[in-house]
Amino acid sequence: MTSTGKKVLIVDDDPDITLALAAMLEDEGYDVTTIDRGEYLEQLPEQNMPDVILLDMLLSGVDGREIARRLKQQPATRHIPILMLSAHPNAAQEAEKAGADDFLAKPFELDELLNKVALHLHSSA
């Protein structure tokens, strides 16, 4: 498939989920970067900012909710849509409180994920 030129950053500490998400998104033409530790988000290079971030809520190290709050407070990153992922109960409300733009409960359908990514990429364009 032809590249969309859109960059998706996946932040999840489960390598199986990260690999599966990356493969699905790359099949759709997205340029995918993955990281497994939330602390790495602190040093996002300004010239290579993602167009959307898929962020696991419960990460080892820095919690995904804290990462979302930090990203939404910084002028360089506040515009990037954050789609928070979690299997945790009450996670949708937690994601909203943390500043995430959307939420997806694990496990989710591939089409649901792709639709949400496309929606946020379109609305942030």
Side-chain angles (χ1 to χ4, degrees):
M1 174 165 264
T2 310
S3 173
T4 65
K6 295 292 187 176
K7 296 183 220 102
V8 178
L9 174 62
I10 301 169
V11 185
D12 200 311
D13 53 6
D14 182 328
D16 293 332
I17 290 174
T18 303
L19 281 171
L21 288 174
M24 291 184 287
L25 291 162
E26 286 169 350
D27 283 350
E28 294 296 314
Y30 296 113
D31 179 10
V32 178
T33 304
T34 63
I35 56 177
D36 60 3
R37 299 194 51 88
E39 299 88 85
Y40 299 148
L41 275 175
E42 310 280 326
Q43 301 98 26
L44 280 177
E46 286 199 36
Q47 71 279 10
N48 197 23
M49 287 284 188
D51 296 298
V52 68
I53 298 171
L54 303 183
L55 176 61
D56 186 37
M57 182 177 287
L58 300 176
L59 291 167
S60 55
V62 180
D63 185 87
R65 293 165 288 198
E66 180 59 29
I67 292 166
R69 279 192 273 281
R70 290 181 192 172
L71 290 172
K72 290 301 183 178
Q73 290 171 354
Q74 297 174 22
T77 55
R78 74 169 44 121
H79 68 282
I80 302 171
I82 298 173
L83 176 55
M84 196 166 277
L85 312 171
S86 181
H88 191 268
N90 303 323
Q93 296 92 337
E94 290 291 317
E96 188 177 331
K97 282 196 286 190
D101 297 278
D102 208 339
F103 173 77
L104 197 54
K106 292 178 183 176
F108 46 79
E109 295 294 323
L110 171 59
D111 287 343
E112 187 179 9
L113 171 72
L114 294 175
N115 288 338
K116 285 186 181 270
V117 168
L119 172 77
H120 288 289
L121 288 172
H122 182 70
S123 66
S124 68

